[in-house]
Amino acid sequence: MNSFGRLFRVHIYGESHGKIAGILIDGCPPGLPLKTADFQKDLARRKGGKAGTTSRVEADTVVIKSGHFNGKTTGAPLCLEFSNQEMRSKDYEIFKDIPRPGQADLTASQKFYGFNDFHGGGHFSGRLTVGLVAAGVVARKIIRPVSIRARLIEAGGEKNIQKAVEQAVKERDSIGGIIECRANRVPPGLGEPFFDSVESLISHLIFSIPGVKAIEFGAGVASAGMKGSEHNDLIISREGKTATNHAGGINGGLTNGNPLVFRLAVKPTASIPRPQLTFNLKTGRREYLEIEGRHDTCIALRIPVIVEAAVAIVLADLLLLRKSQLV
Amino acid sequence: MNSFGRLFRVHIYGESHGKIAGILIDGCPPGLPLKTADFQKDLARRKGGKAGTTSRVEADTVVIKSGHFNGKTTGAPLCLEFSNQEMRSKDYEIFKDIPRPGQADLTASQKFYGFNDFHGGGHFSGRLTVGLVAAGVVARKIIRPVSIRARLIEAGGEKNIQKAVEQAVKERDSIGGIIECRANRVPPGLGEPFFDSVESLISHLIFSIPGVKAIEFGAGVASAGMKGSEHNDLIISREGKTATNHAGGINGGLTNGNPLVFRLAVKPTASIPRPQLTFNLKTGRREYLEIEGRHDTCIALRIPVIVEAAVAIVLADLLLLRKSQLV
Amino acid sequence: MNSFGRLFRVHIYGESHGKIAGILIDGCPPGLPLKTADFQKDLARRKGGKAGTTSRVEADTVVIKSGHFNGKTTGAPLCLEFSNQEMRSKDYEIFKDIPRPGQADLTASQKFYGFNDFHGGGHFSGRLTVGLVAAGVVARKIIRPVSIRARLIEAGGEKNIQKAVEQAVKERDSIGGIIECRANRVPPGLGEPFFDSVESLISHLIFSIPGVKAIEFGAGVASAGMKGSEHNDLIISREGKTATNHAGGINGGLTNGNPLVFRLAVKPTASIPRPQLTFNLKTGRREYLEIEGRHDTCIALRIPVIVEAAVAIVLADLLLLRKSQLV
Amino acid sequence: MNSFGRLFRVHIYGESHGKIAGILIDGCPPGLPLKTADFQKDLARRKGGKAGTTSRVEADTVVIKSGHFNGKTTGAPLCLEFSNQEMRSKDYEIFKDIPRPGQADLTASQKFYGFNDFHGGGHFSGRLTVGLVAAGVVARKIIRPVSIRARLIEAGGEKNIQKAVEQAVKERDSIGGIIECRANRVPPGLGEPFFDSVESLISHLIFSIPGVKAIEFGAGVASAGMKGSEHNDLIISREGKTATNHAGGINGGLTNGNPLVFRLAVKPTASIPRPQLTFNLKTGRREYLEIEGRHDTCIALRIPVIVEAAVAIVLADLLLLRKSQLV
């Protein structure tokens, strides 16, 4: 349930305010050079502390606990762990009775019969995406020379992101955003018809990122309003290069050798500084709730590197799968 | 690779112009009443032969080959098969050299090293969704009293669907569409944080349906332009009923007891009657291709029932999983 | 639950007295030459009709229902089916109340809440091993030039198998046997430490064959009585060839390049012509039961080819896995 | 590859001389009371330091790193870790060129292309079974009131175990042993026909324990020499209690409500104090190797509690699966 992948498999664990956040990677090929410094750049991109993001800033120092020897992966499970140090847990008890709107407080309790660790969102917290980013660093080494680049192209409905963020901070509110991701040099023929289509696998992992509410590939939603004669991409080379890329680099669920392109929508952070009306489960009455704590005004600012990691993880798995089927 | 699910598992097989299209269901609980007549209504909704759809009309008579005894499921794998009878295969050989734009002709050949059955799209064909619909009929019995309803709400960019279809037929072109799906009476607490979030599992299966290029849950793409104070749904009951449903019935990847709501975009059918420019792999030159054969002007017309089946399959799996964790 | 394998995956379905017995193979590489005649030799070795085996002789004509095109596998799921024609079902109803000793009549009913198809043992029947043998034929093509050979080396406790069988027929009883299997030219380094050790995977599949009650690798049970100095195999070449083979070709769960050797014990057929004492679930009293029907005096005679198929399936999966990890 | 189970899933990681040995448990139901003291008794049974076992004695203090809150499991992945402290790694480098006979030195290098951590056997070491024992402690809580008890019934071919061990120590050699395991109060109907038979799943996990070379259920190997009329167990109650238990508590791959009984053979420890002849990969010549370090004279002494854990893990998974199929 907390695992993803067939050959390059990631297992996610940990809690926001528990001891650690971790990721266990199975199926990583042996002999990949790997050192803790390799993780720094991507981990830094995910960190809070910048304008519009949370003031909780964890050191995010990766500890390689297993599967690593003489500076290389060994082929045994690679365990990557991050300790939690900047927690302030005292105030979460109240959310058991007065669930925060838009959060998983109530659903988590319903699923786990009230036994879930609710501090800081527990196992549901975006804190755990630190592990995804770390797995992405490893996956990128497997898929070379594929390059993946995601960026926030819009926030709060505006193209001027900085302005939108400043406005939201001022209003003690939060905003969402649109992220676009492109992967270049993806070989053709990755993916499977039907259940393991490239769209299926990528969307599966992208929707694991807290806050994502929509995804579209290539022309995406706009496709629905196009004619076939407009939408079809003209092939212009034997390798399958196309003149346009309405398909987003995918035909029949398989990569077609053109850039893989998709966009996703991130909702605004649920926890906002403003008082909000919510429901008291004990009294059965509505009441105002003021959420203290440190939250992202625009969580979407921190998500592009997580999106890149997700794509790298999917492509690493598909590339290993393709190698197994070479004839 | 052609399997989906953990406890209620479906395995898809068959080809468009081969002997059969089939679905093998493992993990179906024993004792479910099931007869061939149960499949008729949903299979009929998927059929061609109506305005804007293909003139290839298969009988779609389900054959229950295993896992069934005395009118009930037995708990052993349930094999459902459909014979193919209305094929016209002669004209597909040409697409090996002159791939149809927007189709999987080239990518399928790249993936399977040219050994794929290319007639009618082979294993990539929408023909195989007949099996998904059949599995959906079984899944609906497991998830009672959940009700699922999908409908085409827009085609070719227009709300007047009939008009849009007629126009496309006249233009010898094709159009896409937007489908909305709602599931009611879904119990809260289904799904998992992270990898098996409800959005992850539903999108995984929805993107298995040929032609789907986008999906959004609840407020979806619009979320990205909303403030947190607008987007958060006000809880109004102990069970978690909310006043609005921007979350689409999902918080933290788990169902929250409100209606599950999502929309998807279907691209226009790639095969159109008009001549189209494409690339001749042998000569290395562009040339016009006229695709004969019977194709859907608006394949989106046939997809709602497949979407419902996909949701039923996901929810059946999650409900069985939830039963296993009851404390 | 009815699936085995990670990359070369087999899904088993069907019933003894239902329409068919089938096997669905996913992950079979494209381009393998395959024709129905390829299956004949192995299927013939599994058939009844010979001395000591059942008089139910099915035609066992394989029907390739999908995944096959122009005489080769396509890479899409390969569905192999066998119709059942020689059933005589009338007499099984009685076993619901008076379960046959040593059979799954009672446990199957307990598991499936009485909804199981009990005719001829239903989904529990050795009839389904016809699919395993068929999958083995495909797997052998993948693992070339590995050769696998299993043979019955003892029946009813005697090395003179024919004599033991004749004696058991005369006594209207049944006997078990010991089968030895050897695989040559197995490359080193297949398997995984811990959960997917070669012994783990082979034993998993071997114990899927009805009637198997024990397995030992290399020196096996005798190892327990040996000294380390006796048991350790002396390495005599850079490739790892050893002077003795007490390890049965496996060290640390991985193949070591020496012949893979194991033995298994098959219990005597539970259904025997003699009257046997059993329990009437309705009356709560013991009574004698005379089992009519056609049964094997020594089912172990038919099992060697199934054992070979099981090993081929495991090795095919491990070889594909190894290819995916090539560095 | 380092994962086992469908609903109660264990992921094993770590190395003998690395930082840690760990086990990650997914699918553990929420609300199970769990404290570190619960692990002590079973972990103590596995420890070295007693006559005939290694003098490497690790503290084996379990650290619960995730999935635990207020003294109970939360339903999120439960991570259990053990730090390694008593390593002496200096002498292992030599085994890269001069592989120890009977060990995985050469096969591990062949599998992982020489990148494996070879100190103390790395990821192949029995050290990692500490995690299995820990997972067993958790699993036992799920399967209550099932009781499981394994014991060493023979070592070095003798029933007088102490004497056999003393003799082996004196001879600077090692010995194997036979372990018998019984589980009582196992409910009927667990397991699956074919691939997930109880024998398949138990043998899969038992053969994951380093050193196991054979397993037999019920009458086991002796079955092969019995008549059907002798082997069949007489049913004597409506629940399926039998007068004898040749079946070892399993019919048709499913538990039948009688005690689950099996035996396994453990080979003698490969590493012995005596000099042994082996092969120098560099020179291509045989030479004597004297293995220093701390090793078990009779590793079988430490295995019973690991066997119990393995059975508990399998039964926990099957019980959760059964709950999911309740009708």
Side-chain angles (χ1 to χ4, degrees):
Chain A
M1 288 67 88
N2 287 280
S3 300
F4 185 82
R6 179 178 305 270
L7 292 174
F8 183 82
R9 291 181 65 73
V10 293
H11 309 293
I12 199 166
Y13 63 102
E15 280 84 20
S16 179
H17 288 202
K19 292 193 182 80
I20 50 92
I23 199 105
L24 178 63
I25 306 173
D26 200 1
C28 180
L32 292 181
L34 185 72
K35 53 185 192 299
T36 55
D38 296 345
F39 296 89
Q40 281 177 349
K41 200 176 132 196
D42 279 3
L43 291 173
R45 288 174 63 202
R46 183 193 155 279
K47 271 192 192 175
K50 288 156 270 185
T53 67
T54 177
S55 61
R56 173 178 172 185
V57 185
E58 288 283 358
D60 286 351
T61 308
V62 69
V63 182
I64 306 179
K65 306 209 70 164
S66 71
H68 189 251
F69 185 60
N70 286 341
K72 297 207 172 73
T73 59
T74 63
L78 185 66
C79 180
L80 306 175
E81 229 179 67
F82 299 85
S83 66
N84 293 324
Q85 289 164 344
E86 301 295 324
M87 304 89 86
R88 298 185 196 157
S89 288
K90 60 179 159 42
D91 299 329
Y92 283 85
E93 198 83 27
I94 191 182
F95 305 139
K96 285 195 76 167
D97 292 332
I98 312 173
R100 293 168 296 172
Q103 291 281 17
D105 294 338
L106 182 54
T107 55
S109 173
Q110 286 167 322
K111 176 173 179 61
F112 294 120
Y113 304 96
F115 295 109
N116 56 304
D117 174 358
F118 48 78
H119 288 135
H123 184 62
F124 289 75
S125 167
R127 169 67 183 144
L128 271 74
T129 58
V130 70
L132 286 180
V133 171
V137 170
V138 179
R140 283 182 204 255
K141 290 172 183 268
I142 295 171
I143 63 173
R144 273 180 190 151
V146 176
S147 75
I148 306 167
R149 187 74 187 161
R151 61 203 179 87
L152 184 65
I153 56 174
E154 189 187 309
E158 298 219 26
K159 298 284 175 191
N160 186 332
I161 293 165
Q162 195 188 334
K163 194 179 132 198
V165 169
E166 284 167 7
Q167 179 69 17
V169 170
K170 201 181 302 171
E171 294 174 2
R172 300 172 59 80
D173 213 324
S174 66
I175 52 174
I178 303 282
I179 291 165
E180 182 172 271
C181 182
R182 297 176 68 89
N184 290 317
R185 292 191 290 277
V186 179
L190 299 183
E192 302 278 334
F194 291 95
F195 301 143
D196 288 353
S197 77
V198 172
E199 293 104 326
S200 290
L201 295 177
I202 287 182
S203 66
H204 189 136
L205 205 43
I206 291 295
F207 279 117
S208 303
I209 305 170
V212 177
K213 295 304 277 185
I215 192 168
E216 63 173 4
F217 293 86
V221 175
S223 302
M226 293 166 81
K227 300 269 158 77
S229 56
E230 294 171 86
H231 187 275
N232 287 341
D233 298 310
L234 171 63
I235 298 173
I236 57 176
S237 84
R238 284 197 171 90
E239 294 69 37
K241 204 175 144 41
T242 55
T244 50
N245 191 9
H246 298 122
I250 307 167
N251 284 118
L254 312 183
T255 55
N256 65 15
N258 292 281
L260 189 63
V261 184
F262 65 94
R263 276 164 303 281
L264 53 124
V266 179
K267 67 168 189 164
T269 318
S271 295
I272 55 176
R274 285 192 190 194
Q276 292 180 88
L277 201 57
T278 185
F279 191 83
N280 187 318
L281 298 175
K282 249 189 186 153
T283 64
R285 279 196 291 223
R286 302 185 191 182
E287 63 179 68
Y288 275 92
L289 175 70
E290 212 173 322
I291 303 173
E292 292 176 40
R294 301 156 296 168
H295 298 282
D296 297 278
T297 302
C298 179
I299 183 72
L301 286 162
R302 298 171 63 194
I303 289 183
V305 69
I306 310 170
V307 169
E308 293 174 16
V311 174
I313 290 167
V314 168
L315 292 181
D317 198 32
L318 289 176
L319 272 161
L320 295 184
L321 189 61
R322 180 153 181 82
K323 280 172 72 177
S324 78
Q325 297 273 325
L326 280 176
V327 290
Chain B
M1 288 67 89
N2 288 280
S3 299
F4 184 83
R6 180 178 303 271
L7 291 174
F8 184 80
R9 290 181 66 73
V10 292
H11 309 294
I12 198 166
Y13 63 102
E15 280 84 20
S16 178
H17 289 201
K19 291 193 183 81
I20 49 92
I23 199 105
L24 178 63
I25 305 172
D26 200 2
C28 180
L32 292 181
L34 185 72
K35 55 185 191 298
T36 55
D38 296 345
F39 296 89
Q40 281 178 349
K41 199 176 133 196
D42 278 3
L43 291 173
R45 288 173 62 201
R46 184 193 154 278
K47 271 191 192 177
K50 289 157 269 185
T53 68
T54 178
S55 61
R56 173 178 173 187
V57 186
E58 289 283 358
D60 286 351
T61 309
V62 69
V63 182
I64 306 178
K65 306 209 69 166
S66 70
H68 189 252
F69 185 60
N70 286 343
K72 298 207 172 71
T73 59
T74 63
L78 185 65
C79 179
L80 305 175
E81 229 178 67
F82 298 85
S83 66
N84 293 325
Q85 288 165 344
E86 301 295 322
M87 303 90 85
R88 298 185 196 158
S89 288
K90 61 179 158 35
D91 299 329
Y92 283 86
E93 198 84 27
I94 192 181
F95 305 139
K96 286 194 76 167
D97 293 331
I98 312 173
R100 294 169 296 171
Q103 291 281 16
D105 294 340
L106 183 53
T107 55
S109 173
Q110 285 167 323
K111 175 172 178 62
F112 294 120
Y113 303 96
F115 294 111
N116 57 303
D117 174 357
F118 48 78
H119 287 134
H123 184 60
F124 289 76
S125 168
R127 169 69 183 143
L128 271 74
T129 57
V130 69
L132 286 179
V133 171
V137 169
V138 178
R140 283 182 204 254
K141 290 172 184 268
I142 294 171
I143 62 174
R144 276 182 188 151
V146 176
S147 75
I148 306 166
R149 186 75 188 161
R151 62 203 177 88
L152 185 64
I153 57 174
E154 189 187 309
E158 300 219 25
K159 299 283 176 191
N160 185 332
I161 292 165
Q162 194 188 334
K163 194 179 132 197
V165 169
E166 283 167 7
Q167 180 70 16
V169 169
K170 203 182 299 172
E171 293 174 3
R172 298 174 59 78
D173 213 325
S174 65
I175 52 173
I178 303 282
I179 291 165
E180 183 172 88
C181 182
R182 296 176 70 89
N184 291 316
R185 292 192 289 278
V186 180
L190 299 184
E192 303 278 332
F194 290 95
F195 301 143
D196 288 352
S197 77
V198 172
E199 293 104 327
S200 290
L201 295 177
I202 288 181
S203 67
H204 189 136
L205 205 42
I206 291 295
F207 278 118
S208 303
I209 305 170
V212 177
K213 295 304 277 187
I215 191 169
E216 62 173 4
F217 293 86
V221 175
S223 303
M226 293 166 81
K227 301 268 158 77
S229 56
E230 295 171 85
H231 188 274
N232 286 342
D233 299 309
L234 170 63
I235 299 173
I236 56 175
S237 85
R238 284 198 170 88
E239 294 69 37
K241 203 173 145 44
T242 55
T244 51
N245 190 10
H246 297 122
I250 307 168
N251 284 119
L254 312 184
T255 55
N256 65 14
N258 291 281
L260 187 64
V261 184
F262 66 93
R263 277 163 302 283
L264 53 124
V266 179
K267 67 168 188 165
T269 317
S271 295
I272 54 176
R274 283 193 192 193
Q276 292 179 90
L277 202 56
T278 185
F279 191 81
N280 186 319
L281 299 175
K282 248 190 187 152
T283 64
R285 278 197 290 225
R286 302 185 191 182
E287 61 180 70
Y288 276 92
L289 176 69
E290 213 174 320
I291 303 172
E292 293 175 38
R294 300 156 297 167
H295 299 283
D296 296 278
T297 301
C298 179
I299 183 73
L301 287 162
R302 297 172 62 193
I303 290 183
V305 69
I306 310 171
V307 169
E308 294 174 15
V311 174
I313 290 167
V314 168
L315 292 181
D317 198 31
L318 289 175
L319 273 162
L320 295 183
L321 189 60
R322 181 154 181 82
K323 280 173 72 177
S324 77
Q325 297 273 323
L326 280 177
V327 290
Chain C
M1 288 68 86
N2 287 281
S3 299
F4 184 83
R6 181 177 303 269
L7 291 174
F8 184 81
R9 290 181 65 75
V10 291
H11 309 294
I12 199 166
Y13 63 103
E15 281 84 19
S16 179
H17 289 201
K19 290 193 183 81
I20 49 93
I23 199 104
L24 179 62
I25 305 173
D26 200 1
C28 181
L32 292 180
L34 185 72
K35 55 185 190 299
T36 56
D38 296 345
F39 295 89
Q40 281 178 349
K41 201 177 132 197
D42 279 3
L43 291 173
R45 288 174 62 202
R46 184 193 153 280
K47 270 191 193 177
K50 288 157 269 184
T53 67
T54 178
S55 61
R56 174 177 171 186
V57 185
E58 289 282 359
D60 285 351
T61 308
V62 68
V63 182
I64 306 177
K65 305 208 70 165
S66 70
H68 189 252
F69 185 60
N70 287 340
K72 297 206 173 72
T73 59
T74 62
L78 185 65
C79 179
L80 306 175
E81 228 179 66
F82 298 86
S83 66
N84 293 325
Q85 288 164 344
E86 301 295 322
M87 303 91 85
R88 299 185 197 158
S89 288
K90 61 179 158 42
D91 299 330
Y92 283 85
E93 197 84 27
I94 192 180
F95 305 138
K96 286 194 75 167
D97 292 332
I98 312 174
R100 293 168 297 171
Q103 290 281 18
D105 295 339
L106 183 53
T107 55
S109 173
Q110 285 167 323
K111 177 174 178 61
F112 294 120
Y113 304 94
F115 294 111
N116 56 302
D117 174 357
F118 48 78
H119 288 134
H123 184 59
F124 289 75
S125 168
R127 169 69 183 143
L128 271 74
T129 58
V130 69
L132 287 180
V133 171
V137 169
V138 179
R140 282 181 204 255
K141 290 172 184 269
I142 294 171
I143 63 174
R144 275 182 189 150
V146 177
S147 75
I148 306 166
R149 186 75 187 162
R151 62 202 176 89
L152 184 65
I153 58 173
E154 190 188 309
E158 301 218 26
K159 298 283 174 191
N160 185 332
I161 292 164
Q162 195 189 334
K163 197 179 128 196
V165 169
E166 283 167 6
Q167 180 68 17
V169 170
K170 204 183 299 171
E171 294 175 2
R172 298 172 61 78
D173 213 324
S174 66
I175 52 174
I178 303 282
I179 291 164
E180 184 172 87
C181 182
R182 296 177 69 88
N184 291 315
R185 292 192 289 278
V186 180
L190 299 184
E192 302 279 331
F194 291 94
F195 301 143
D196 288 353
S197 77
V198 172
E199 294 104 327
S200 290
L201 295 177
I202 288 182
S203 67
H204 189 135
L205 206 42
I206 291 295
F207 279 117
S208 303
I209 305 171
V212 176
K213 295 304 277 187
I215 191 168
E216 62 173 5
F217 293 86
V221 175
S223 303
M226 292 167 82
K227 301 268 158 74
S229 56
E230 294 171 86
H231 188 274
N232 286 342
D233 298 310
L234 170 63
I235 299 173
I236 56 175
S237 84
R238 283 198 170 89
E239 293 70 36
K241 204 174 144 42
T242 55
T244 51
N245 191 9
H246 297 123
I250 307 167
N251 284 120
L254 311 183
T255 56
N256 65 15
N258 292 281
L260 188 64
V261 183
F262 66 91
R263 277 164 302 282
L264 53 124
V266 179
K267 67 167 189 166
T269 319
S271 295
I272 54 176
R274 283 194 191 192
Q276 293 180 90
L277 201 57
T278 186
F279 191 82
N280 187 319
L281 299 175
K282 248 190 186 152
T283 64
R285 277 196 290 226
R286 302 186 191 182
E287 61 178 69
Y288 276 92
L289 176 69
E290 213 174 320
I291 303 172
E292 294 176 40
R294 299 157 298 168
H295 299 283
D296 297 277
T297 301
C298 179
I299 183 74
L301 287 162
R302 298 171 61 192
I303 290 183
V305 68
I306 309 170
V307 169
E308 294 174 15
V311 174
I313 290 166
V314 168
L315 293 180
D317 197 32
L318 289 176
L319 273 162
L320 295 183
L321 189 60
R322 181 155 180 82
K323 281 172 72 176
S324 77
Q325 297 274 323
L326 280 176
V327 291
Chain D
M1 286 67 88
N2 288 281
S3 300
F4 184 83
R6 178 178 303 270
L7 291 175
F8 183 81
R9 291 180 65 73
V10 292
H11 309 294
I12 199 166
Y13 63 103
E15 281 84 19
S16 178
H17 289 201
K19 292 193 182 81
I20 49 92
I23 199 103
L24 178 62
I25 305 173
D26 199 1
C28 181
L32 291 181
L34 185 72
K35 55 184 189 301
T36 56
D38 296 344
F39 296 88
Q40 281 178 349
K41 199 176 132 197
D42 278 4
L43 291 173
R45 288 173 62 202
R46 184 193 154 279
K47 270 192 193 175
K50 288 155 270 185
T53 68
T54 178
S55 60
R56 173 179 173 184
V57 185
E58 289 282 359
D60 285 352
T61 308
V62 69
V63 182
I64 306 178
K65 305 207 71 164
S66 69
H68 189 252
F69 185 60
N70 286 342
K72 296 207 173 73
T73 59
T74 63
L78 184 66
C79 181
L80 306 176
E81 229 179 67
F82 299 85
S83 67
N84 293 325
Q85 288 164 346
E86 301 295 323
M87 303 90 85
R88 299 185 195 157
S89 288
K90 61 178 156 49
D91 300 331
Y92 283 86
E93 198 84 27
I94 191 181
F95 305 139
K96 285 195 76 166
D97 292 333
I98 312 174
R100 294 168 297 172
Q103 291 281 18
D105 294 339
L106 183 53
T107 55
S109 173
Q110 286 167 324
K111 176 172 179 63
F112 293 120
Y113 305 95
F115 294 110
N116 56 303
D117 174 357
F118 48 78
H119 287 134
H123 184 61
F124 289 75
S125 168
R127 170 68 183 144
L128 271 74
T129 58
V130 69
L132 286 180
V133 171
V137 169
V138 179
R140 283 182 204 253
K141 290 172 184 269
I142 295 171
I143 63 174
R144 273 181 189 152
V146 176
S147 74
I148 306 167
R149 186 74 187 162
R151 60 202 178 89
L152 184 65
I153 56 173
E154 190 187 307
E158 299 219 25
K159 297 283 174 192
N160 185 332
I161 292 165
Q162 194 189 333
K163 196 180 129 197
V165 169
E166 284 167 7
Q167 180 68 17
V169 170
K170 202 181 302 171
E171 293 175 4
R172 299 173 59 79
D173 213 326
S174 65
I175 52 173
I178 303 282
I179 291 164
E180 184 172 88
C181 182
R182 297 176 68 88
N184 290 316
R185 292 192 289 277
V186 180
L190 300 184
E192 300 280 332
F194 291 95
F195 301 144
D196 288 352
S197 78
V198 172
E199 295 105 326
S200 290
L201 295 176
I202 288 182
S203 66
H204 189 135
L205 205 43
I206 291 295
F207 279 117
S208 303
I209 305 171
V212 177
K213 295 304 277 187
I215 192 168
E216 63 173 4
F217 292 86
V221 175
S223 303
M226 292 167 81
K227 300 270 158 75
S229 55
E230 294 171 86
H231 189 275
N232 286 342
D233 298 310
L234 171 62
I235 298 172
I236 56 175
S237 84
R238 282 198 171 89
E239 293 70 36
K241 203 174 144 42
T242 54
T244 51
N245 191 9
H246 297 123
I250 307 167
N251 284 118
L254 311 184
T255 56
N256 65 15
N258 292 281
L260 189 63
V261 183
F262 66 92
R263 277 164 301 283
L264 53 123
V266 179
K267 68 167 188 164
T269 318
S271 293
I272 54 176
R274 285 191 191 194
Q276 292 180 88
L277 201 58
T278 185
F279 191 83
N280 186 319
L281 298 175
K282 248 190 186 152
T283 64
R285 277 196 290 224
R286 303 185 190 182
E287 62 179 69
Y288 275 92
L289 176 69
E290 213 174 320
I291 303 172
E292 293 176 39
R294 300 157 297 168
H295 298 284
D296 297 278
T297 301
C298 179
I299 183 73
L301 288 162
R302 298 171 63 194
I303 290 183
V305 68
I306 310 170
V307 168
E308 294 174 15
V311 174
I313 291 166
V314 168
L315 292 181
D317 197 32
L318 289 176
L319 272 161
L320 295 183
L321 189 60
R322 180 152 181 84
K323 280 172 73 176
S324 77
Q325 296 274 323
L326 280 177
V327 290

